[in-house]
Amino acid sequence: MKKRITFLDTTLRDGEQAPGNAMTPDQKLELALMLEEAGVDTIETGFPASSHADFLATQMISAKLQTASFATFSRAQVKDVQIAIEAGGVSDRHLVMLVATGSDLHLKNKRNITREQGLAEIREAVTYAKQQGLTNIAVGIEDASRAEYDYMEAMTRVSIEAGANQIILADTTGYATPSSFGSLIQFIRSIVGPDIKVSTHCHNDLGLGVANALEGILAGADEIQATLGGIGERAGNTSLEQVAAILYYKGDDYGLTTSIRLDKLYTTYLMLQECIELEESRMQPLFGKYVFSTAAGIHQQGMLNDPDTYEYVKPVTLGRERQLLVTRHSGRTIIRHLLKEQGVLFTDDEINHLYEKFINKSSFCDDLTTFTQKLKDELELQKAEVGAI
């Protein structure tokens, strides 16, 4: 039996923190409902103690979600937990996530507190959350990938003893590599046992956000925290759609499965793009403008014979369509294909003429309807000239 990996989407919180990514509560609600439809297990609504907008978004989203759970972000402070409860209430669907300081670097240079003070914060905040009736409490260890193992163990044990049922390991600065992050997951799993949920939260500063998250679940994590399109601070977060697609295509190899509906993610991403005016990428995996397009003649010939020759990831899986484009790298195959589709008869000499006129010196064309009409018009002109002679 395959192990089901859950996804917590943090687009509306961690993703929004990056410059230019601000969203209104109404926009967050619309995106949350689309993420729910796409099969996301838990949707992080924001940091209620940080702003009225996040407080309101939490109220709105928690009231409308039907199948997904929701999460709120808080510091390991009682006052933050109080505000999170005011915004989202007390229920089994509300995951309160408390961020704790993991590395000595952060303890000294950011927080100016000792390890003992950090542990006391965790104990007090988790105990309070438990006393209020919350059943889902996570402690997220910030900068876990640069923390010492002995302190990580102490933080984990204090969290569980106080009532937490989930530990989140954050590679906050994109410091980790797959091997080091996998070892960290294995270490924490050995401490918490099988009944405590372990989550990954990886950043993409070295381009390893997806690889580290994947290694994390292979090492024993139960959940991936990610953002749509990989948006987020600096170079962004683990890309939700990329990890979900890997598990879709490689799930049998890994013995893993998810509830994510890949065909629903692209339309959600388009909505996100509109909300935050996100620039369109040409080659972003899965969502880039041309990732399911081909222009090179050799590739087009192979794909017209059998799409599997150059297409492992299927566009239909993402709710997208395959495109054949015309550039100077295209060949005669695309001309023959377009004319055959229109039922137009032609000779090899005519194809050579069309190639020299429209492709050999061409730069780029993505409007095949117009391009096909040009081919047909040129053929008719040629035939008329021959008839006149």
Side-chain angles (χ1 to χ4, degrees):
M1 176 180 284
K2 293 181 183 179
K3 175 183 177 180
R4 193 169 90 82
I5 299 299
T6 61
F7 276 85
L8 182 146
D9 179 89
T10 182
T11 303
L12 310 183
R13 198 274 302 173
D14 204 332
E16 191 198 26
Q17 288 179 180
N21 288 359
M23 293 171 251
T24 68
D26 285 332
Q27 289 173 330
K28 285 190 174 187
L29 174 60
E30 186 170 8
L31 287 166
L33 294 177
M34 294 179 77
L35 288 165
E36 180 181 49
E37 187 179 2
V40 172
D41 300 278
T42 305
I43 298 166
E44 189 174 0
T45 61
F47 183 1
S50 70
S51 69
H52 176 69
D54 275 16
F55 186 96
L56 181 58
T58 299
Q59 285 186 317
M60 294 168 62
I61 294 170
S62 61
K64 292 292 185 180
L65 292 179
Q66 298 296 314
T67 57
S69 299
F70 67 95
T72 52
F73 182 89
S74 298
R75 293 166 296 184
Q77 297 182 9
V78 168
K79 62 181 181 180
D80 280 14
V81 178
Q82 290 173 331
I83 296 173
I85 291 174
E86 290 175 19
V90 175
S91 73
D92 292 342
R93 295 174 55 244
H94 184 182
L95 171 68
V96 170
M97 299 193 301
L98 308 173
V99 62
T101 307
S103 68
D104 290 328
L105 175 66
H106 277 215
L107 285 168
K108 179 182 178 181
N109 295 337
K110 188 182 81 167
R111 298 290 315 285
N112 192 28
I113 62 174
T114 65
R115 287 186 174 188
E116 291 70 26
Q117 289 173 310
L119 294 176
E121 284 185 345
I122 296 171
R123 185 180 296 107
E124 182 182 19
V126 174
T127 299
Y128 176 80
K130 190 74 173 178
Q131 289 173 343
Q132 303 312 301
L134 289 165
T135 55
N136 289 312
I137 304 167
V139 173
I141 303 178
E142 186 180 23
D143 208 23
S145 51
R146 293 193 292 182
E148 298 295 332
Y149 272 30
D150 62 336
Y151 188 50
M152 290 282 290
E153 179 174 359
M155 296 175 76
T156 300
R157 293 193 184 281
V158 165
S159 299
I160 296 171
E161 289 167 4
N165 59 351
Q166 182 173 347
I167 300 294
I168 304 162
L169 299 174
D171 180 29
T172 304
T173 63
Y175 168 87
T177 61
S179 60
S180 68
F181 195 69
S183 295
L184 177 60
I185 294 291
Q186 288 179 329
F187 174 69
I188 296 300
R189 174 58 74 194
S190 71
I191 294 170
V192 303
D195 297 328
I196 299 296
K197 192 170 192 175
V198 177
S199 300
T200 72
H201 183 105
C202 300
H203 283 259
N204 205 38
D205 297 73
L206 288 176
L208 294 173
V210 169
N212 288 340
L214 179 61
E215 189 65 25
I217 57 175
L218 295 180
D222 308 292
E223 178 176 83
I224 293 172
Q225 297 195 354
T227 62
L228 195 60
I231 69 168
E233 291 280 1
R234 303 180 311 279
N237 292 46
T238 299
S239 161
L240 188 154
E241 70 278 1
Q242 289 177 33
V243 181
I246 291 170
L247 295 181
Y248 175 87
Y249 282 100
K250 304 291 186 180
D252 288 342
D253 296 339
Y254 296 143
L256 302 173
T257 187
T258 79
S259 62
I260 298 296
R261 295 184 57 187
L262 289 177
D263 62 320
K264 296 289 185 179
L265 291 180
Y266 185 60
T267 53
T268 310
Y269 178 70
L270 293 179
M271 177 59 67
L272 175 65
Q273 273 191 310
E274 182 180 332
C275 289
I276 63 175
E277 299 181 354
L278 184 64
E279 299 87 352
E280 185 172 28
S281 165
R282 292 182 182 180
M283 60 183 186
Q284 179 181 351
L286 308 177
F287 286 169
K289 184 175 183 179
Y290 297 127
V291 295
F292 295 113
S293 304
T294 57
I298 294 175
H299 290 194
Q300 289 179 339
Q301 182 176 358
M303 289 188 66
L304 286 170
N305 291 336
D306 181 354
D308 285 350
T309 54
Y310 287 97
E311 188 180 82
Y312 173 62
V313 178
K314 303 301 179 188
V316 68
T317 305
L318 276 297
R320 303 194 62 184
E321 295 180 357
R322 180 184 307 121
Q323 283 186 298
L324 299 176
L325 307 179
V326 177
T327 74
R328 64 182 180 84
H329 299 292
S330 302
R332 292 167 177 79
T333 297
I334 188 67
I335 297 176
R336 292 189 179 95
H337 168 70
L338 293 173
L339 292 177
K340 282 181 179 179
E341 278 196 327
Q342 297 293 314
V344 177
L345 300 177
F346 51 81
T347 66
D348 287 345
D349 287 342
E350 288 171 334
I351 293 297
N352 290 333
H353 171 75
L354 293 173
Y355 171 78
E356 291 298 329
K357 184 176 180 65
F358 291 109
I359 290 184
N360 195 30
K361 300 175 183 178
S362 172
S363 56
F364 177 78
C365 176
D366 61 357
D367 183 353
L368 291 191
T369 300
T370 300
F371 181 75
T372 304
Q373 188 59 51
K374 287 182 179 180
L375 296 176
K376 292 168 64 177
D377 291 345
E378 180 64 21
L379 279 182
E380 291 179 6
L381 179 61
Q382 273 193 299
K383 296 180 187 302
E385 290 176 351
V386 170
I389 295 174

